Amino acid sequence: MKAEISWLDDPEVFRVNQLPARSDHRAFQSTAEATTKQSSLEQSLDGDWQFKFAKTPQERPAGFYDPDYDRSKFDTIAVPGHIEIAGYGQLKYINTTYPWEGKIFRRPAYALNDQDTGKGMFSEGEDNTVGAYATTFTLNPELRDKRVIVQFDGVEEAMYLWLNGQFVGYAEDSFSRSEFDLTPYLKDGENLIAVEVFKRSTAAFIEDQDMFRFSGIFRSVRLVAKPAVFLEDMTLRPDVSDDYKNGDLNLALKLSQTDDAPDAEIRVKVTDGDGREVLSLAKPVANTVSFTDNAFKNVHLWNHMDPYLYHLQIEIVTTAGETLAVVPYDFGFRKVELKNKIMLLNGNRIIINGVNRHEWDAHRGRAVTAEDMTYDMQIFHENNINAVRTCHYPDQIPWYFLCDHEGIYMMAENNLESHGTWQKMGAVEPSYNVPGSVPQWKEAVLDRARSNYETFKNHTAVLFWSLGNESYAGDDIAAMNKFYKDHDDTRLTHYEGVCRNRKYEDQISDMESMMYDPPLEIAKYLENNPKKPFVDCEYMHDMGNSLGGMSSYNDLIDKYPMYQGGFIWDYIDQALWTEDEVTGEPVLRYGGDFDDRHSDYEFSGDGLLFADRTPKPAMQEVKYYYGKHIN
Amino acid sequence: MANTSTKVKVIFGDASLGLRGTNFGYIFSYDRGGLESLVQNGKEWCYRIPRPAFWRATTDNDRGNQFYVKSAQWLGADLFSQCVKIEVFIDGQSVGFPISPENNKYSNQEYATKAAVEYTYETATTPATTVTVRYTVDGTGSIQVAARYNGAKGLPQLPVFGLRFTMPTAATGFDYDGLSGETYPDRMAGGVPGTYHVDGLPVAPFMVPQECGMHMATKSVTVNRDLTLNNADQSRDTFRLTFKQTDKPFAFTCLPYTPEELENATHIEELPLKRRTIFTVYGASRGVGGIDSWGADVEEKYHVSAEDDIAFGFTISGPEG
């Protein structure tokens, strides 16, 4: 197959040769590896890559992925990282309007006219910078003679992949993991992997989040070897009985095997929090294997105050006794329900003491580190924050595991925001909204819901699936809601944008979600025969010196059982460390500080934390009110 | 000086009223229109006269809901209001405005149990209104300050009403008995009562500098300095000035910048070097709000009407504390 640059213009092309999204479990070669979390089946490709920047697609180094191409004039760039922070391409922050505002006239393909294919809109976009990345690797011994895939955890905003000069595949959706099978293209010795990253594609219309606009390979890249028998996917369903006393574990596994795979069995073991074995089962390997109705009497439930996890370990062992793979996964038993129009966790009314959290690091942009995550979790605990909305895209995978372990309720949002297509100068004007009900945009957004669900479906912490943010409502988002509902009856769906187009309110979102509604308006809703429980998906806009009047929201919790709290906007200011042009001192700079226009300037700073991660003075107020209803 | 230890010595000057006692000396200026000098234990605390405070550096929420436009007059009033009347009281009796030749009748041996100066300021607003600030000094050097804003129909809501002191050098820190952290009328439930020490003069580093550093419900605050502008005083020993509640707790900020300096900066690094201590005691402050930053008003109960009177007071301790 040949890579086509026209895919950038076509909303119907968003993944080519990508492997299907699947569970985010890791595989290890032995139980010892599983304990230390160091997998010899994985080989990191993070580090310095060869790099060439081009201002437009037309100026890009065509054919750079060819082993014979002369890349001696290439620079180097750190992976993971953003191209702009590395000094190529202008930094830019903007909220609602598209980053090309005032520079290029664009309308999403097919939005106004089904003959409008958008041809050339991005493939010839004068603002479409390109990063040509290349590096070489030699497989570690443990990966040799196995099937090998490559995992890109995050590439913004469209990528083409080649191995040893041969085209492998194409991916959009900047914030979901993209996997490709490299096996057919691998060779002994040194391999050349090349990635062409475009800053813009049709994805730009649905990735219009209120944030700095970056491009590049900004999350980790790694190779993963698949032993002869491999656990491709698993669906864990730890159900809880109606009286919340007993658990019932169901496991559905999908496996792949090489043609010469040895006979093997799957062993499933579950231990409790004290390491006591509570379940041990085995079945022969097949393409799909299920373990159903495994009773856990007097099960220890999971919640924020007591995030009790059981430890699942799946081992694939040959009849000769050789361990091919070990897959550990911690999970909890908990039950999410909507009863009498109130959302319950394990039978108790859920109170969301939440924050919206963009991934942010003032040195690294959205390429946050494990240390950032650990720190953030500590801040959550210190301030009685019990819930997080992954605004408005999936976060790095370790964050979900951390939330499982730390008892943080997650509203797991897929990557979608298109407010620039329907919010004009603050007014609702959806004339060219996408995805809307435009058929050519439906599969792209459904794919985002699918990736989000498949990747994170086993996380105990995820109580809610969120369909994205501020994208209006239409058939396409209704289809996303249906996807989640068809695949998962153990969680609830959330989408705020349906309140802008009430026609879809019975098809989209289990909860009534509003943003920035004043307490008096919320009370009005709750007193007028409300259909759904109410959640503030964004409230208490903490821009600058703010966060006054929180008591009025707190009062709603006490007064209305159907008011279930909300997520403060937001966790951390988006500003970047840079050098003062006058003094040379390190300073934090925000939107508009890089000559970036059109800009929304200091609107990038609405956090409970300053960009350097120190809490703002208002934080003690959050701690106080969130401490009143912690559960 | 016989039997004068509990009385305050009064100097009926030609341009000021001087009030002196053991280890203190205050000059209430007639031509500057305010307390020009507050010396305790040989250390000066006034760089310029204290002035009525009406403005706070615009917060992002103030900008979003256009409060800064609607109440813009108060910025002018904060900068430019002037003293229009001065009256002196000796032991509670008005002696008018005792400048020469009327003061020729006094001597260098004038004492009072209490002496007071009341300044009236006219606001640079339309309509104009007045603020009175009365300083009452006793023989221990304690200064009781009473400030009163006279409400006037038609004036826009106030950001704050307070009295702002400008101290000659930057404080090394301050200690207060009040609430933890930075608190506002609509954001003080999380403040934990206690005594707190703050090092230096921190400015909360909001991306765009803005109102910050408010401490509500304060019983007392002591400002610590170790540097004077007096060329003959090279000591770096810490010296202190204490403000305490008269009847009711008060709010204060202790910052290195005026609201206007903060207002003018787009980034914290644009602020000038920390040279002074800008210490303000407030009788009223608008809440900061939080519903959104593009139009939502601060909840009504946290507004400060300029059409109603506002009175507040506090006491500056004498040199013996």
Side-chain angles (χ1 to χ4, degrees), chain A residues 111-151:
Chain A
L112 286 169
N113 172 350
D114 67 5
Q115 301 305 307
D116 177 7
T117 62
K119 184 167 183 285
M121 191 187 301
F122 295 105
S123 60
E124 295 165 23
E126 61 180 274
D127 59 346
N128 198 0
T129 62
V130 187
Y133 289 77
T135 194
T136 56
F137 64 84
T138 300
L139 288 178
N140 291 341
E142 294 87 345
L143 280 76
R144 287 178 205 159
D145 305 318
K146 294 189 176 79
R147 298 168 293 165
V148 174
I149 63 168
V150 62
Q151 295 181 327

Side-chain angles (χ1 to χ4, degrees), chain A residues 598-611:
Chain A
H598 178 53
S599 178
D600 283 306
Y601 303 93
E602 64 271 22
F603 204 72
S604 64
D606 316 329
L608 293 175
L609 308 188
F610 294 110

Side-chain angles (χ1 to χ4, degrees), chain A residues 265-305:
Chain A
E265 67 170 11
I266 301 165
R267 296 178 186 167
V268 169
K269 239 186 356 190
V270 177
T271 48
D272 67 12
D274 297 319
R276 283 187 297 257
E277 188 174 297
V278 286
L279 187 72
S280 180
L281 303 163
K283 280 191 177 179
V285 163
N287 289 341
T288 60
V289 179
S290 296
F291 296 89
T292 51
D293 298 329
N294 299 288
F296 283 64
K297 273 193 101 64
N298 297 317
V299 74
H300 195 145
L301 298 177
W302 177 99
N303 70 16
H304 172 72
M305 300 303 283

Side-chain angles (χ1 to χ4, degrees), chain B residues 91-173:
Chain B
D91 290 330
Q93 295 298 309
S94 172
V95 296
F97 183 44
I99 53 168
S100 180
E102 198 180 318
N103 59 356
N104 291 343
K105 66 186 179 195
Y106 298 113
S107 72
N108 195 36
Q109 296 297 324
E110 302 290 340
Y111 295 91
T113 304
K114 281 187 176 171
V117 182
E118 183 176 283
Y119 294 96
T120 302
Y121 300 91
E122 188 177 78
T123 61
T125 54
T126 309
T129 187
T130 55
V131 165
T132 60
V133 181
R134 183 190 286 225
Y135 301 90
T136 304
V137 179
D138 68 16
T140 69
S142 157
I143 309 173
Q144 200 177 316
V145 183
R148 180 183 178 82
Y149 166 85
N150 295 301
K153 275 262 175 280
L155 283 171
Q157 290 174 18
L158 278 159
V160 295
F161 172 58
L163 187 66
R164 184 181 305 130
F165 294 79
T166 305
M167 297 169 181
T169 60
T172 56

Side-chain angles (χ1 to χ4, degrees), chain B residues 23-177:
Chain B
N23 295 327
F24 74 89
Y26 308 144
I27 297 173
F28 290 90
S29 171
Y30 300 151
D31 49 358
R32 304 287 165 229
L35 172 59
E36 184 187 6
S37 174
L38 191 168
V39 172
Q40 290 188 358
N41 301 312
K43 307 287 187 179
E44 178 61 70
W45 284 89
C46 287
Y47 180 69
R48 294 291 185 267
I49 61 160
R51 304 183 61 90
F54 303 109
W55 192 247
R56 70 176 185 198
T58 302
T59 66
D60 290 313
N61 289 348
D62 289 342
R63 217 181 320 277
N65 62 32
Q66 302 284 297
F67 174 72
Y68 74 137
V69 177
K70 292 177 220 157
S71 291
Q73 295 199 54
W74 292 116
L75 171 59
D78 192 86
L79 285 164
F80 304 127
S81 292
Q82 59 175 349
C83 180
V84 292
K85 185 180 172 221
I86 300 167
E87 189 172 0
V88 175
F89 299 84
I90 301 298
D91 290 330
Q93 295 298 309
S94 172
V95 296
F97 183 44
I99 53 168
S100 180
E102 198 180 318
N103 59 356
N104 291 343
K105 66 186 179 195
Y106 298 113
S107 72
N108 195 36
Q109 296 297 324
E110 302 290 340
Y111 295 91
T113 304
K114 281 187 176 171
V117 182
E118 183 176 283
Y119 294 96
T120 302
Y121 300 91
E122 188 177 78
T123 61
T125 54
T126 309
T129 187
T130 55
V131 165
T132 60
V133 181
R134 183 190 286 225
Y135 301 90
T136 304
V137 179
D138 68 16
T140 69
S142 157
I143 309 173
Q144 200 177 316
V145 183
R148 180 183 178 82
Y149 166 85
N150 295 301
K153 275 262 175 280
L155 283 171
Q157 290 174 18
L158 278 159
V160 295
F161 172 58
L163 187 66
R164 184 181 305 130
F165 294 79
T166 305
M167 297 169 181
T169 60
T172 56
F174 55 95
D175 297 271
Y176 68 95
D177 182 352

